Amino acid sequence: MAYPTVAGPYGFQPINLIGGQVFAGATRQIPITSASATSIYYGDVVRLNTSGTLSRVSTTDSATDAVGIFLGCAFTNPTTKQFLQQQYYPASTVASDIVAYVCDDPDTYFKVAVLSNSTTIGGMTQTDIGNNVAILATAGSTTTGDSKEGVSATTGSATTLPFRVIAGVPETVNASGSFTEVIVKFNFGVHTYYSASAVATAA
């Protein structure tokens, strides 16, 4: 039987919540600082800063103060003065009203591609389920606005790793029987809503 193939990473896609609860598409609006220097793409892992604003997670093996997954943004175009809603935040956009739409529920399950490096699809086996895993990140697409983040094919037990592997996706198992996509969720202590520590890092 031929299975569909995963062409490349596409970020983290919310699919449901713990216990099979439905993900209804709810998001929280969190500001992005005007002229923030790093682009953020649909499906990227994002964090909360001490200023109460949002930025893209820059580390792969930890994600302190992670607040969720970026699902688009809105702002007034500084040139045309038109209010825009778009798939990604372009770096250095100057606007006083930039807001990101964030899937911030810490109980959300996400579907994500498994990567052997930052761009190449890899695989996991059943023995990887229940382990922790790092993010593998590269810049997203300015054409589609979509993320190119995934998770490492190498899992571990370190509690600083940001995600727990919950299950494999059987529909995209490769020819060798490995999962090229998995279901993950944020680990306790990584998501800022499940951490007793206050947000500690400036934007």
Side-chain angles (χ1 to χ4, degrees), residues 136-189:
L136 287 184
T138 189
S141 169
T142 57
T143 301
T144 65
D146 290 336
S147 172
K148 291 185 180 179
E149 293 185 354
V151 293
S152 172
T154 302
T155 62
S157 59
T159 57
T160 55
L161 291 169
F163 287 98
R164 173 68 53 86
V165 181
I166 302 300
V169 177
E171 291 81 5
T172 49
V173 166
N174 63 21
S176 64
S178 297
F179 298 114
T180 60
E181 294 176 301
V182 289
I183 308 303
V184 300
K185 74 171 296 293
F186 281 106
N187 275 323
F188 279 92

Side-chain angles (χ1 to χ4, degrees), residues 63 65-68 103-106 162 186-195:
D65 301 324
V67 71
C103 173
D104 71 334
D105 189 330
F186 281 106
N187 275 323
F188 279 92
V190 171
H191 197 293
T192 190
Y193 297 169
Y194 277 165
S195 172

Side-chain angles (χ1 to χ4, degrees), residues 8-145:
Y10 49 79
F12 293 78
Q13 294 184 351
I15 55 169
N16 59 8
L17 308 181
I18 288 175
Q21 301 173 79
V22 175
F23 172 68
T27 58
R28 185 175 304 282
Q29 294 185 24
I30 301 176
I32 296 174
T33 301
S34 179
S36 181
T38 303
S39 296
I40 313 174
Y41 298 89
Y42 189 99
D44 278 354
V45 181
V46 286
R47 64 181 307 282
L48 197 62
N49 304 306
T50 53
S51 59
T53 58
L54 195 79
S55 61
R56 185 178 181 223
V57 165
S58 60
T59 57
T60 59
D61 57 356
S62 64
T64 304
D65 301 324
V67 71
I69 304 299
F70 179 87
L71 298 179
C73 66
F75 57 87
T76 301
N77 183 291
T79 303
T80 66
K81 309 306 180 186
Q82 293 180 322
F83 187 71
L84 303 177
Q85 290 182 308
Q86 61 182 52
Q87 191 88 337
Y88 84 106
Y89 163 75
S92 305
T93 296
V94 177
S96 61
D97 60 348
I98 309 170
V99 292
Y101 303 112
V102 180
C103 173
D104 71 334
D105 189 330
D107 288 339
T108 305
Y109 284 173
F110 303 97
K111 184 172 74 169
V112 63
V114 177
L115 302 174
S116 59
N117 59 47
S118 60
T119 58
T120 304
I121 296 296
M124 289 187 194
T125 66
Q126 192 65 33
T127 59
D128 292 302
I129 306 305
N131 290 342
N132 297 334
V133 69
I135 304 163
L136 287 184
T138 189
S141 169
T142 57
T143 301
T144 65

